[in-house]
Amino acid sequence: MVLDTTKATAHLKTYERKDGLSIQELIDSRNFGGLTYNDFLVLPGLVSFISTDVNLETKLTKKITLKAPFLSSPMDTVTEENMAIHMSLLGGIGIIHSNCTPDEQAEMVRRVKKYENGFINDPVVVSPDVTVGQIKEMKTQMGFTSFPVTDSGKVGGKLVGIVTSRDVQFHEDDSSKVSEVMTTDVITGAEGIDLDKGNELLRTSKKGKLPIVDKEGRLVSLISLTDLQKNQSYPLASKSFDSKQLLCGAAIGTLDADRERLDKLVAAGLDVVVLDSSNGSSIFQLNMLKWIKSKYPELQVIAGNVVTREQAALLIEAGADALRIGMGSGSICITQEVMACGRPQGTAVYSVAQFANQFGVPCIADGGIGNIGHITKALALGASCVMMGGLLAGTSETPGEYFYRDGKRLKAYRGMGSVDAMQRTSTNANASTSRYFSENDKVFVAQGVSGSVVDKGTIRKFIPYVYNGLQHSLQDIGVQSLTELREKVNAGEVRFEFRTASAQFEGGVHGLYSYEKRLHN
Ligand code: IMP
């Protein structure tokens, strides 16, 4: 008998259960083995809205909400101030690493908090004694054409002039001092001026650069016409409600010295601290968490890392405002190999997040995010955000210089548990060793490797690509927000499928002689 086509959806009710697996069934199907992101897929749903209408707002911690669920890892080849500024501008947040002195880390936090879009806070400045020859050289090296001149040759010094290519271009004596050729009649903006007014001043004065000075005439920052023309607007930017400053996170360890480090970070304006440890369920972390909660009750604390419910329960009870999940899943990580400890990331995220979410504690899936699909899966398993190291490594906002090998433009990327990172000693604590409880070791036991990754361009393009991709992914699943995803996964309405090895092969590009994998334009 052929069924009535007009009753196809009604006919679904005759089946005992929906097609595919519920999240619980998916996890239970792996009773004898953990689940990784590649082991399963999410089944598609009904598309009834456009992808740009998908809302990716999410909780980072109990008190902080982000417009995009992305964090950059506290690693010394991933997050310093430039990455933190751009992650925040693009709707996520950067966690500044602590493998440096407390003062250096606090200074980076301060710069993120002081950042204003369109203003250059650390312009290249020269002193009046610099020679015309040096300016010509700087021009070729840096490509800039004008430099503010201050008495000290630094930002914060008294502005005494500006030197432009016009001043030096036809000046034949390269040994002349800048003070002899610079323009002293400089149009300036007063500290506190907004970008629109600064822009207006640039236009009316027909100048390329507008130095911003304080009441005493000291140089504070600079507005540049070329930067303004390139200026992107950042509607998703993560900002504090009151000050409108960008949100900034930083990592610390759990040694006594880290308490002093935290004092400096808080004084610099820190919004959220990450207790950076490969195994968060330690007495050191519990003590640190309790100390922070009594000294800085308003500061949001992300504790971790954890991969089991039992570890999570300890940190939740000690006051964690969010948990970071992952042990051994990072792209540079050899913890599972060397320590025999860890957990496949899919199972870890599900177990911890399902438990922690009941207490209103958001979770961050950390490590092993290699593409947009992994992000969707981490969020479907219960995480509120993902943390990325390798996926962001090699972008221009990461610390370090590019270098060439085999004709490829590369940047270094290394685990914080690699011997290289552990050897980078700082005057106070070495964060990298304390992350692995190795500060007293005579022989380091590496838990990470040191390598390189290909140039990925700027995160100003890459993060919007990831953001759009995630919106499309949720559209395919048929949910219009991360909240809806969570609800429908829990209600068994979003369905899953286990992926065999051959299914994984089928799901990748296959059967081609050659191809180019371009991820975005
Ligand atoms: P990725 O995004 O897969 O590259 O993983 C980054 C994450 O790996 C970080 O956020 C840390 O949690 C973790 N991690 C960083 N350094 C090491 C290491 O040396 N060994 C193990 N895990 C590491």
mmCIF file of all heavy atoms in Angstrom, residues 12 18-20 41-49 376 471-480 484-485 488-489 492-496:
data_model
loop_
_atom_site.group_PDB
_atom_site.id
_atom_site.type_symbol
_atom_site.label_atom_id
_atom_site.label_comp_id
_atom_site.label_asym_id
_atom_site.label_seq_id
_atom_site.Cartn_x
_atom_site.Cartn_y
_atom_site.Cartn_z
ATOM 1 N N LEU A 12 4.912 10.518 10.647
ATOM 2 C CA LEU A 12 6.106 10.404 11.506
ATOM 3 C C LEU A 12 5.733 9.904 12.903
ATOM 4 O O LEU A 12 6.519 9.256 13.574
ATOM 5 C CB LEU A 12 6.800 11.772 11.634
ATOM 6 C CG LEU A 12 7.547 12.285 10.402
ATOM 7 C CD1 LEU A 12 8.006 13.714 10.635
ATOM 8 C CD2 LEU A 12 8.742 11.385 10.104
ATOM 9 N N LYS A 18 12.213 9.759 17.117
ATOM 10 C CA LYS A 18 12.646 10.583 15.981
ATOM 11 C C LYS A 18 13.863 9.961 15.315
ATOM 12 O O LYS A 18 14.606 9.205 15.961
ATOM 13 C CB LYS A 18 13.036 11.990 16.477
ATOM 14 C CG LYS A 18 11.857 12.883 16.766
ATOM 15 C CD LYS A 18 12.323 14.279 17.135
ATOM 16 C CE LYS A 18 12.770 15.027 15.892
ATOM 17 N NZ LYS A 18 12.853 16.458 16.037
ATOM 18 N N ASP A 19 14.077 10.310 14.073
ATOM 19 C CA ASP A 19 15.250 9.824 13.350
ATOM 20 C C ASP A 19 16.523 10.282 14.068
ATOM 21 O O ASP A 19 16.533 11.342 14.717
ATOM 22 C CB ASP A 19 15.216 10.402 11.920
ATOM 23 C CG ASP A 19 15.917 9.479 10.949
ATOM 24 O OD1 ASP A 19 16.540 8.501 11.403
ATOM 25 O OD2 ASP A 19 15.838 9.740 9.735
ATOM 26 N N GLY A 20 17.587 9.510 13.983
ATOM 27 C CA GLY A 20 18.851 9.884 14.629
ATOM 28 C C GLY A 20 18.820 9.604 16.123
ATOM 29 O O GLY A 20 17.913 8.938 16.631
ATOM 30 N N LEU A 41 27.968 13.679 14.055
ATOM 31 C CA LEU A 41 27.425 14.817 13.298
ATOM 32 C C LEU A 41 26.103 15.228 13.916
ATOM 33 O O LEU A 41 25.475 14.438 14.631
ATOM 34 C CB LEU A 41 27.169 14.411 11.845
ATOM 35 C CG LEU A 41 28.405 14.238 10.947
ATOM 36 C CD1 LEU A 41 27.994 13.616 9.631
ATOM 37 C CD2 LEU A 41 29.104 15.567 10.729
ATOM 38 N N VAL A 42 25.685 16.448 13.613
ATOM 39 C CA VAL A 42 24.369 16.911 14.035
ATOM 40 C C VAL A 42 23.465 16.771 12.810
ATOM 41 O O VAL A 42 23.879 17.115 11.696
ATOM 42 C CB VAL A 42 24.427 18.391 14.482
ATOM 43 C CG1 VAL A 42 23.106 18.807 15.128
ATOM 44 C CG2 VAL A 42 25.593 18.633 15.441
ATOM 45 N N LEU A 43 22.258 16.269 13.004
ATOM 46 C CA LEU A 43 21.362 16.113 11.843
ATOM 47 C C LEU A 43 20.714 17.458 11.492
ATOM 48 O O LEU A 43 20.449 18.271 12.388
ATOM 49 C CB LEU A 43 20.282 15.067 12.144
ATOM 50 C CG LEU A 43 20.790 13.637 12.349
ATOM 51 C CD1 LEU A 43 19.624 12.658 12.495
ATOM 52 C CD2 LEU A 43 21.681 13.183 11.203
ATOM 53 N N PRO A 44 20.469 17.693 10.208
ATOM 54 C CA PRO A 44 19.878 18.983 9.807
ATOM 55 C C PRO A 44 18.418 19.120 10.234
ATOM 56 O O PRO A 44 17.720 18.114 10.420
ATOM 57 C CB PRO A 44 19.994 18.950 8.278
ATOM 58 C CG PRO A 44 20.186 17.534 7.906
ATOM 59 C CD PRO A 44 20.784 16.820 9.078
ATOM 60 N N GLY A 45 17.982 20.370 10.394
ATOM 61 C CA GLY A 45 16.582 20.639 10.763
ATOM 62 C C GLY A 45 15.919 21.493 9.697
ATOM 63 O O GLY A 45 16.417 21.577 8.565
ATOM 64 N N LEU A 46 14.830 22.137 10.061
ATOM 65 C CA LEU A 46 14.086 22.956 9.106
ATOM 66 C C LEU A 46 14.685 24.364 9.053
ATOM 67 O O LEU A 46 14.816 25.028 10.083
ATOM 68 C CB LEU A 46 12.616 23.033 9.540
ATOM 69 C CG LEU A 46 11.727 23.964 8.706
ATOM 70 C CD1 LEU A 46 11.496 23.372 7.305
ATOM 71 C CD2 LEU A 46 10.397 24.208 9.407
ATOM 72 N N VAL A 47 15.007 24.813 7.856
ATOM 73 C CA VAL A 47 15.539 26.167 7.690
ATOM 74 C C VAL A 47 14.368 27.112 7.437
ATOM 75 O O VAL A 47 13.685 26.990 6.432
ATOM 76 C CB VAL A 47 16.533 26.220 6.507
ATOM 77 C CG1 VAL A 47 17.018 27.633 6.272
ATOM 78 C CG2 VAL A 47 17.707 25.283 6.759
ATOM 79 N N SER A 48 14.113 28.027 8.376
ATOM 80 C CA SER A 48 12.962 28.924 8.211
ATOM 81 C C SER A 48 13.356 30.379 8.452
ATOM 82 O O SER A 48 12.524 31.217 8.728
ATOM 83 C CB SER A 48 11.850 28.511 9.182
ATOM 84 O OG SER A 48 12.363 28.541 10.498
ATOM 85 N N PHE A 49 14.646 30.672 8.407
ATOM 86 C CA PHE A 49 15.128 32.043 8.646
ATOM 87 C C PHE A 49 16.456 32.192 7.926
ATOM 88 O O PHE A 49 17.086 31.189 7.546
ATOM 89 C CB PHE A 49 15.318 32.282 10.154
ATOM 90 C CG PHE A 49 16.021 31.147 10.834
ATOM 91 C CD1 PHE A 49 17.404 31.063 10.835
ATOM 92 C CD2 PHE A 49 15.300 30.107 11.430
ATOM 93 C CE1 PHE A 49 18.061 29.994 11.413
ATOM 94 C CE2 PHE A 49 15.953 29.023 12.020
ATOM 95 C CZ PHE A 49 17.342 28.968 12.008
ATOM 96 N N THR A 376 30.540 24.237 16.492
ATOM 97 C CA THR A 376 29.111 23.891 16.590
ATOM 98 C C THR A 376 28.932 22.688 17.518
ATOM 99 O O THR A 376 28.042 22.670 18.371
ATOM 100 C CB THR A 376 28.569 23.504 15.197
ATOM 101 O OG1 THR A 376 28.807 24.588 14.321
ATOM 102 C CG2 THR A 376 27.086 23.193 15.245
ATOM 103 N N GLN A 471 26.885 30.864 12.114
ATOM 104 C CA GLN A 471 25.480 31.219 11.873
ATOM 105 C C GLN A 471 24.871 30.264 10.836
ATOM 106 O O GLN A 471 23.740 29.785 11.001
ATOM 107 C CB GLN A 471 25.387 32.655 11.351
ATOM 108 C CG GLN A 471 25.597 33.715 12.427
ATOM 109 C CD GLN A 471 25.415 35.116 11.860
ATOM 110 O OE1 GLN A 471 25.976 35.439 10.810
ATOM 111 N NE2 GLN A 471 24.658 35.938 12.545
ATOM 112 N N HIS A 472 25.615 29.975 9.776
ATOM 113 C CA HIS A 472 25.116 29.058 8.744
ATOM 114 C C HIS A 472 24.904 27.656 9.311
ATOM 115 O O HIS A 472 23.939 26.970 8.964
ATOM 116 C CB HIS A 472 26.095 28.995 7.572
ATOM 117 C CG HIS A 472 25.901 30.112 6.598
ATOM 118 N ND1 HIS A 472 24.824 30.162 5.735
ATOM 119 C CD2 HIS A 472 26.636 31.213 6.357
ATOM 120 C CE1 HIS A 472 24.910 31.262 5.005
ATOM 121 N NE2 HIS A 472 25.998 31.924 5.361
ATOM 122 N N SER A 473 25.825 27.252 10.183
ATOM 123 C CA SER A 473 25.736 25.921 10.760
ATOM 124 C C SER A 473 24.456 25.792 11.606
ATOM 125 O O SER A 473 23.714 24.810 11.499
ATOM 126 C CB SER A 473 26.991 25.695 11.604
ATOM 127 O OG SER A 473 26.888 24.542 12.346
ATOM 128 N N LEU A 474 24.182 26.810 12.422
ATOM 129 C CA LEU A 474 22.969 26.767 13.244
ATOM 130 C C LEU A 474 21.712 26.824 12.364
ATOM 131 O O LEU A 474 20.699 26.195 12.657
ATOM 132 C CB LEU A 474 22.967 27.912 14.273
ATOM 133 C CG LEU A 474 23.477 27.509 15.657
ATOM 134 C CD1 LEU A 474 24.886 26.986 15.634
ATOM 135 C CD2 LEU A 474 23.347 28.643 16.660
ATOM 136 N N GLN A 475 21.829 27.576 11.277
ATOM 137 C CA GLN A 475 20.694 27.643 10.348
ATOM 138 C C GLN A 475 20.393 26.240 9.806
ATOM 139 O O GLN A 475 19.233 25.817 9.744
ATOM 140 C CB GLN A 475 21.041 28.583 9.187
ATOM 141 C CG GLN A 475 19.915 28.754 8.182
ATOM 142 C CD GLN A 475 20.398 29.450 6.916
ATOM 143 O OE1 GLN A 475 21.522 29.221 6.451
ATOM 144 N NE2 GLN A 475 19.553 30.296 6.358
ATOM 145 N N ASP A 476 21.424 25.494 9.454
ATOM 146 C CA ASP A 476 21.245 24.123 8.946
ATOM 147 C C ASP A 476 20.582 23.226 9.985
ATOM 148 O O ASP A 476 19.776 22.365 9.652
ATOM 149 C CB ASP A 476 22.609 23.523 8.584
ATOM 150 C CG ASP A 476 22.871 23.597 7.096
ATOM 151 O OD1 ASP A 476 21.900 23.820 6.340
ATOM 152 O OD2 ASP A 476 24.041 23.440 6.694
ATOM 153 N N ILE A 477 20.966 23.435 11.248
ATOM 154 C CA ILE A 477 20.391 22.606 12.322
ATOM 155 C C ILE A 477 18.939 23.028 12.592
ATOM 156 O O ILE A 477 18.159 22.267 13.147
ATOM 157 C CB ILE A 477 21.264 22.742 13.603
ATOM 158 C CG1 ILE A 477 22.669 22.185 13.324
ATOM 159 C CG2 ILE A 477 20.654 22.035 14.794
ATOM 160 C CD1 ILE A 477 23.685 22.475 14.419
ATOM 161 N N GLY A 478 18.609 24.270 12.167
ATOM 162 C CA GLY A 478 17.238 24.752 12.341
ATOM 163 C C GLY A 478 17.021 25.472 13.654
ATOM 164 O O GLY A 478 15.902 25.504 14.169
ATOM 165 N N VAL A 479 18.084 26.025 14.235
ATOM 166 C CA VAL A 479 17.926 26.802 15.475
ATOM 167 C C VAL A 479 18.457 28.210 15.251
ATOM 168 O O VAL A 479 19.443 28.398 14.544
ATOM 169 C CB VAL A 479 18.649 26.149 16.681
ATOM 170 C CG1 VAL A 479 18.015 24.817 17.027
ATOM 171 C CG2 VAL A 479 20.145 25.989 16.427
ATOM 172 N N GLN A 480 17.771 29.186 15.889
ATOM 173 C CA GLN A 480 18.094 30.569 15.557
ATOM 174 C C GLN A 480 18.982 31.255 16.587
ATOM 175 O O GLN A 480 19.318 32.418 16.441
ATOM 176 C CB GLN A 480 16.784 31.339 15.394
ATOM 177 C CG GLN A 480 16.869 32.333 14.265
ATOM 178 C CD GLN A 480 15.576 33.043 14.018
ATOM 179 O OE1 GLN A 480 14.504 32.464 14.195
ATOM 180 N NE2 GLN A 480 15.647 34.297 13.609
ATOM 181 N N GLU A 484 18.507 28.494 21.862
ATOM 182 C CA GLU A 484 17.589 27.525 21.252
ATOM 183 C C GLU A 484 18.310 26.200 20.983
ATOM 184 O O GLU A 484 17.740 25.116 21.155
ATOM 185 C CB GLU A 484 17.022 28.107 19.947
ATOM 186 C CG GLU A 484 15.853 27.301 19.423
ATOM 187 C CD GLU A 484 15.282 27.862 18.101
ATOM 188 O OE1 GLU A 484 15.589 29.023 17.754
ATOM 189 O OE2 GLU A 484 14.561 27.115 17.431
ATOM 190 N N LEU A 485 19.575 26.302 20.595
ATOM 191 C CA LEU A 485 20.348 25.076 20.358
ATOM 192 C C LEU A 485 20.395 24.249 21.645
ATOM 193 O O LEU A 485 20.100 23.056 21.653
ATOM 194 C CB LEU A 485 21.777 25.427 19.904
ATOM 195 C CG LEU A 485 22.734 24.240 19.746
ATOM 196 C CD1 LEU A 485 22.315 23.342 18.592
ATOM 197 C CD2 LEU A 485 24.176 24.717 19.517
ATOM 198 N N LYS A 488 16.922 22.778 22.531
ATOM 199 C CA LYS A 488 16.467 21.696 21.655
ATOM 200 C C LYS A 488 17.346 20.450 21.749
ATOM 201 O O LYS A 488 16.874 19.351 21.505
ATOM 202 C CB LYS A 488 16.360 22.205 20.208
ATOM 203 C CG LYS A 488 15.231 23.231 20.074
ATOM 204 C CD LYS A 488 14.708 23.334 18.676
ATOM 205 C CE LYS A 488 13.367 24.062 18.677
ATOM 206 N NZ LYS A 488 13.108 24.758 17.429
ATOM 207 N N VAL A 489 18.613 20.644 22.091
ATOM 208 C CA VAL A 489 19.466 19.468 22.323
ATOM 209 C C VAL A 489 18.951 18.755 23.573
ATOM 210 O O VAL A 489 18.735 17.541 23.583
ATOM 211 C CB VAL A 489 20.947 19.873 22.511
ATOM 212 C CG1 VAL A 489 21.759 18.713 23.088
ATOM 213 C CG2 VAL A 489 21.546 20.323 21.192
ATOM 214 N N GLY A 492 15.861 16.755 23.222
ATOM 215 C CA GLY A 492 15.928 15.625 22.277
ATOM 216 C C GLY A 492 15.420 15.985 20.890
ATOM 217 O O GLY A 492 15.197 15.113 20.048
ATOM 218 N N GLU A 493 15.226 17.283 20.621
ATOM 219 C CA GLU A 493 14.719 17.675 19.297
ATOM 220 C C GLU A 493 15.841 17.837 18.282
ATOM 221 O O GLU A 493 15.652 17.575 17.104
ATOM 222 C CB GLU A 493 13.931 18.979 19.406
ATOM 223 C CG GLU A 493 12.574 18.780 20.062
ATOM 224 C CD GLU A 493 11.905 20.096 20.320
ATOM 225 O OE1 GLU A 493 11.901 20.961 19.429
ATOM 226 O OE2 GLU A 493 11.387 20.267 21.442
ATOM 227 N N VAL A 494 16.994 18.323 18.732
ATOM 228 C CA VAL A 494 18.161 18.337 17.837
ATOM 229 C C VAL A 494 18.769 16.947 17.933
ATOM 230 O O VAL A 494 19.011 16.428 19.028
ATOM 231 C CB VAL A 494 19.178 19.412 18.261
ATOM 232 C CG1 VAL A 494 20.512 19.216 17.545
ATOM 233 C CG2 VAL A 494 18.629 20.797 17.960
ATOM 234 N N ARG A 495 18.963 16.318 16.767
ATOM 235 C CA ARG A 495 19.371 14.906 16.751
ATOM 236 C C ARG A 495 20.802 14.739 16.242
ATOM 237 O O ARG A 495 21.333 15.602 15.527
ATOM 238 C CB ARG A 495 18.431 14.097 15.858
ATOM 239 C CG ARG A 495 16.968 14.303 16.145
ATOM 240 C CD ARG A 495 16.546 13.755 17.473
ATOM 241 N NE ARG A 495 16.455 12.293 17.477
ATOM 242 C CZ ARG A 495 16.102 11.579 18.540
ATOM 243 N NH1 ARG A 495 15.821 12.188 19.694
ATOM 244 N NH2 ARG A 495 16.031 10.268 18.474
ATOM 245 N N PHE A 496 21.397 13.641 16.608
ATOM 246 C CA PHE A 496 22.807 13.377 16.292
ATOM 247 C C PHE A 496 22.958 12.030 15.586
ATOM 248 O O PHE A 496 22.062 11.196 15.638
ATOM 249 C CB PHE A 496 23.628 13.361 17.586
ATOM 250 C CG PHE A 496 23.582 14.672 18.322
ATOM 251 C CD1 PHE A 496 22.547 14.961 19.210
ATOM 252 C CD2 PHE A 496 24.560 15.631 18.115
ATOM 253 C CE1 PHE A 496 22.491 16.175 19.880
ATOM 254 C CE2 PHE A 496 24.520 16.851 18.787
ATOM 255 C CZ PHE A 496 23.489 17.119 19.667
#
